[in-house]
Amino acid sequence: MARDFYEVLGVSRSASPDEIQQAFRKLARKYHPDVNKSPDAEERFKEINEAYQVLHDPKQRTRYDRFGEDFRRVPEGYEDMAGAGAGPGGFRGGGGGRGGFPGAGGFRGGEQGEPFTWTYQGGGEDVDMEDLLGGLFGGRGRGAGRAAGRGAGPIPGADQEAELTLTVEEAYHGGPRKITLAGPDGPRSYDVNIPAGVSDGQRIRLAGQGGQARGNAGAGDLYLVVRLAPHPRYRVEGHDIHVRLPVTPWEAALGATVALRTPGGQAKVTVPPGTSSGRRLRLRGQGMPRRRGEPGDLYAEVQIMVPKHLTPRERDLFEELSRASAFDPRQPEREGARV
């Protein structure tokens, strides 16, 4: 006797459609033969798929709940005519034969070596495995569904992931790059086109470079997950770049236009008079590029620097300033004055 479909998916008989789908996705990800190398993984994957094919469809599920493993042999409309005693597993059709009752749906083929294939005649909507498994195996769900319904057949390769570490400058400019990744068969090189302005966590897809397929199915895809390496000067948040802007005390007090090195090259920053440390100056559109839309912004945070060693003349000037100025940064700011 076949295993109970609810038991296969690990759900109760009162499980909701969402619970059934979540259970299926979890198990399909675990037992896909390209991911799970256990000898029985392929058979387990087929069993999981068969259970979902039935339980996701309200009409098929109703027939299964009533007639158990014989539900495919029950003619359409029989449930409307059947009397008492036709409970789960209690029906035994008189048609016998490999295909069961005509029009009942189930397995076709099997004659003269022909492989079994799924058919659902009058049993409600067909399962769209492309939609269901696309997110798991790179859009090749339809092939996975077909393979699960046959004794043997092509099984698509599983998608794979690897991290790609970039400097802020590399992510800013993008462009072609050759990378080498370790694999089960040794190191392998890939030619990658990095989009300008790629952000931390973004995935770059290399079609057909993932897990190998079985039969005539397509190989999986390789996804490179971008990681930005820590940088001594720049801090990236989304598409905005933050950088420190060192200025002299007189530039901060009098105002100045100073040069600032950015990932895109030199930029000019206007420091307003009376600027204190910690003030952020925004350079619109000087952040990370975007594939669509305006680039991010660059924020320069002012940091007032003083010389570690004063010349005699510098010391004299600072002492003269200290005697002439009544400014006290530790006192509340006076009205009209800038700290």
Side-chain angles (χ1 to χ4, degrees), residues 24-32 45 48 133 136-137:
F24 170 73
R25 290 178 65 89
K26 180 180 179 181
L27 292 170
R29 182 182 288 111
K30 179 178 180 180
Y31 288 101
H32 188 280
F45 182 76
I48 292 163
L133 287 179
L136 298 180
F137 307 114

Side-chain angles (χ1 to χ4, degrees), residues 79-96:
E79 55 265 45
D80 298 327
M81 301 181 293
F91 176 77
R92 293 293 180 269

Side-chain angles (χ1 to χ4, degrees), residues 79-256:
E79 55 265 45
D80 298 327
M81 301 181 293
F91 176 77
R92 293 293 180 269
R98 184 181 298 271
F101 288 97
F107 285 115
R108 279 191 171 182
E111 302 293 345
Q112 298 179 354
E114 179 187 355
F116 287 109
T117 57
W118 287 109
T119 62
Y120 290 103
Q121 300 174 359
E125 291 186 8
D126 291 338
V127 179
D128 190 343
M129 296 298 290
E130 183 77 23
D131 291 341
L132 188 65
L133 287 179
L136 298 180
F137 307 114
R140 290 171 303 284
R142 197 175 305 280
R146 286 195 298 268
R150 298 179 179 145
I155 297 178
D159 291 342
Q160 298 174 343
E161 283 190 355
E163 288 195 351
L164 174 61
T165 302
L166 301 174
T167 66
V168 173
E169 291 88 349
E170 289 172 334
Y172 182 95
H173 293 286
R177 180 178 175 183
K178 183 180 288 291
I179 66 169
T180 301
L181 299 175
D185 300 322
R188 185 175 176 184
S189 295
Y190 303 87
D191 292 317
V192 183
N193 186 28
I194 301 170
V198 66
S199 57
D200 189 84
Q202 185 172 337
R203 301 200 306 168
I204 301 174
R205 176 174 173 255
L206 302 183
Q209 299 298 316
Q212 296 301 306
R214 297 174 62 179
N216 295 323
D221 297 333
L222 173 62
Y223 288 90
L224 302 177
V225 183
V226 173
R227 298 299 177 203
L228 296 185
H231 198 282
R233 285 179 46 82
Y234 307 120
R235 177 169 53 88
V236 179
E237 293 183 357
H239 283 80
D240 294 334
I241 301 175
H242 298 259
V243 61
R244 289 189 302 242
L245 176 62
V247 299
T248 63
W250 48 93
E251 289 172 333
L254 304 175

Side-chain angles (χ1 to χ4, degrees), residues 14-79:
S14 61
S16 68
D18 284 344
E19 290 172 333
I20 289 173
Q21 180 165 316
Q22 290 170 10
F24 170 73
R25 290 178 65 89
K26 180 180 179 181
L27 292 170
R29 182 182 288 111
K30 179 178 180 180
Y31 288 101
H32 188 280
D34 257 7
V35 176
N36 190 322
K37 300 303 181 183
S38 300
D40 61 343
E42 183 173 343
E43 290 302 319
R44 184 79 171 92
F45 182 76
K46 296 176 192 175
E47 184 181 47
I48 292 163
N49 180 66
E50 180 185 9
Y52 178 76
Q53 293 272 8
V54 173
L55 297 186
H56 100 289
D57 182 338
K59 189 170 183 179
Q60 291 284 341
R61 182 178 179 181
T62 298
R63 290 168 61 83
Y64 177 74
D65 287 344
R66 186 167 187 184
F67 302 112
E69 64 177 310
D70 295 309
F71 77 103
R72 290 192 182 94
R73 300 170 57 196
V74 180
E76 289 293 328
Y78 176 85
E79 55 265 45

